[in-house]
Amino acid sequence: MVPRVWSLMRFLIKGSVAGGAVYLVYDQELLGPSDKSQAVLQKAEEVVPPAMYQFSQYVCEQTGLKMPQLPAPPKFNFHIRDTWNSGIITVMSALSVAPSKACEYSKEGWEYLKERTK
């Protein structure tokens, strides 16, 4: 009985985290225009490191453990806005060509098998 409850709890926790991530992406308009996406990512870049530090301090106070100081996150000199649209276009074009390529490759494979079985 306990393993079933535990697996159900794990499933519910994972589903909640996934649902929260989808809601956050939708709410913050991360898949919208690239200028809004870049603004949200810059905001996250400013907010996440202090939040991680505060959380580690809280854990240290509650458990008595000493956590080492995390190194500073690396700084990147490129804007996601420059590469966002080209990446999306590349992925979408690959997805749109995938069915015809799969058909083409299966025909080639079928012809190869016909030749080998003669």
Side-chain angles (χ1 to χ4, degrees):
M1 182 70 179
V2 172
R4 285 186 181 179
V5 172
W6 181 246
S7 64
L8 177 65
M9 289 295 292
R10 285 181 45 192
F11 175 75
L12 291 175
I13 290 170
K14 288 179 183 181
S16 300
V17 169
V22 168
Y23 175 75
L24 181 68
V25 166
Y26 176 76
D27 185 51
Q28 297 295 320
E29 297 180 12
L30 283 176
L31 298 178
S34 59
D35 54 342
K36 286 186 181 181
S37 301
Q38 187 167 355
V40 170
L41 289 175
Q42 285 176 346
K43 181 180 173 186
E45 189 177 273
E46 295 169 359
V47 172
V48 169
M52 289 298 294
Y53 178 75
Q54 289 176 351
F55 179 72
S56 67
Q57 293 299 317
Y58 174 76
V59 169
C60 288
E61 290 173 7
Q62 296 298 319
T63 61
L65 297 173
K66 299 290 182 191
M67 290 188 175
Q69 180 68 26
L70 294 175
K75 300 285 183 183
F76 296 110
N77 282 335
F78 79 95
H79 295 286
I80 194 167
R81 183 179 195 178
D82 299 336
T83 58
W84 175 259
N85 290 334
S86 64
I88 294 297
I89 290 170
T90 304
V91 168
M92 290 302 149
S93 67
L95 288 175
S96 68
V97 175
S100 61
K101 285 291 184 181
C103 183
E104 180 183 327
Y105 292 149
S106 63
K107 284 180 184 176
E108 288 176 10
W110 186 250
E111 293 299 323
Y112 176 77
L113 285 175
K114 281 184 182 178
E115 288 178 16
R116 299 301 262 170
T117 56
K118 286 183 182 180

Short mmCIF file of all heavy atoms in Angstrom, two decimals, residues 85-99:
data_model
loop_
_atom_site.label_atom_id
_atom_site.label_comp_id
_atom_site.label_asym_id
_atom_site.label_seq_id
_atom_site.Cartn_x
_atom_site.Cartn_y
_atom_site.Cartn_z
N ASN A 85 14.33 34.18 -33.12
CA ASN A 85 13.52 33.95 -34.31
C ASN A 85 14.19 32.97 -35.27
O ASN A 85 13.52 32.13 -35.85
CB ASN A 85 13.21 35.26 -35.02
CG ASN A 85 12.25 36.11 -34.21
OD1 ASN A 85 11.48 35.60 -33.43
ND2 ASN A 85 12.32 37.41 -34.40
N SER A 86 15.50 33.06 -35.44
CA SER A 86 16.17 32.13 -36.35
C SER A 86 16.10 30.70 -35.82
O SER A 86 15.94 29.76 -36.60
CB SER A 86 17.62 32.54 -36.57
OG SER A 86 18.35 32.45 -35.37
N GLY A 87 16.18 30.52 -34.52
CA GLY A 87 16.05 29.18 -33.94
C GLY A 87 14.66 28.62 -34.12
O GLY A 87 14.49 27.44 -34.48
N ILE A 88 13.65 29.43 -33.90
CA ILE A 88 12.27 28.99 -34.09
C ILE A 88 12.02 28.64 -35.54
O ILE A 88 11.40 27.62 -35.86
CB ILE A 88 11.28 30.07 -33.61
CG1 ILE A 88 11.39 30.28 -32.10
CG2 ILE A 88 9.86 29.74 -34.00
CD1 ILE A 88 11.03 29.07 -31.28
N ILE A 89 12.51 29.47 -36.46
CA ILE A 89 12.32 29.20 -37.89
C ILE A 89 12.99 27.89 -38.29
O ILE A 89 12.42 27.08 -39.03
CB ILE A 89 12.84 30.39 -38.73
CG1 ILE A 89 11.91 31.59 -38.53
CG2 ILE A 89 12.94 30.03 -40.20
CD1 ILE A 89 12.44 32.89 -39.11
N THR A 90 14.19 27.65 -37.78
CA THR A 90 14.90 26.41 -38.10
C THR A 90 14.15 25.20 -37.59
O THR A 90 13.99 24.20 -38.31
CB THR A 90 16.32 26.45 -37.50
OG1 THR A 90 16.99 27.60 -37.99
CG2 THR A 90 17.10 25.21 -37.85
N VAL A 91 13.68 25.24 -36.36
CA VAL A 91 12.97 24.11 -35.78
C VAL A 91 11.66 23.86 -36.52
O VAL A 91 11.32 22.72 -36.86
CB VAL A 91 12.71 24.35 -34.27
CG1 VAL A 91 11.73 23.33 -33.72
CG2 VAL A 91 14.01 24.29 -33.51
N MET A 92 10.92 24.91 -36.80
CA MET A 92 9.65 24.74 -37.49
C MET A 92 9.83 24.23 -38.92
O MET A 92 9.04 23.42 -39.39
CB MET A 92 8.85 26.05 -37.50
CG MET A 92 8.34 26.44 -36.14
SD MET A 92 7.29 25.14 -35.47
CE MET A 92 7.59 25.36 -33.75
N SER A 93 10.86 24.69 -39.61
CA SER A 93 11.09 24.19 -40.96
C SER A 93 11.49 22.72 -40.92
O SER A 93 11.06 21.93 -41.77
CB SER A 93 12.15 25.02 -41.68
OG SER A 93 13.41 24.85 -41.08
N ALA A 94 12.28 22.32 -39.93
CA ALA A 94 12.64 20.90 -39.80
C ALA A 94 11.41 20.05 -39.50
O ALA A 94 11.25 18.96 -40.05
CB ALA A 94 13.69 20.73 -38.70
N LEU A 95 10.52 20.55 -38.65
CA LEU A 95 9.30 19.80 -38.34
C LEU A 95 8.37 19.72 -39.54
O LEU A 95 7.69 18.71 -39.74
CB LEU A 95 8.58 20.45 -37.15
CG LEU A 95 9.23 20.26 -35.80
CD1 LEU A 95 8.47 21.05 -34.74
CD2 LEU A 95 9.31 18.80 -35.41
N SER A 96 8.33 20.76 -40.36
CA SER A 96 7.44 20.73 -41.52
C SER A 96 7.96 19.80 -42.61
O SER A 96 7.18 19.26 -43.38
CB SER A 96 7.24 22.14 -42.07
OG SER A 96 8.43 22.61 -42.63
N VAL A 97 9.26 19.60 -42.68
CA VAL A 97 9.84 18.73 -43.70
C VAL A 97 9.92 17.28 -43.23
O VAL A 97 10.06 16.37 -44.04
CB VAL A 97 11.25 19.27 -44.08
CG1 VAL A 97 11.97 18.36 -45.04
CG2 VAL A 97 11.14 20.66 -44.66
N ALA A 98 9.78 17.04 -41.95
CA ALA A 98 9.96 15.71 -41.38
C ALA A 98 9.07 14.64 -42.02
O ALA A 98 9.57 13.55 -42.35
CB ALA A 98 9.76 15.75 -39.87
N PRO A 99 7.77 14.86 -42.23
CA PRO A 99 6.97 13.78 -42.83
C PRO A 99 7.41 13.40 -44.24
O PRO A 99 7.50 12.22 -44.57
CB PRO A 99 5.55 14.37 -42.86
CG PRO A 99 5.54 15.41 -41.80
CD PRO A 99 6.92 15.96 -41.79
#
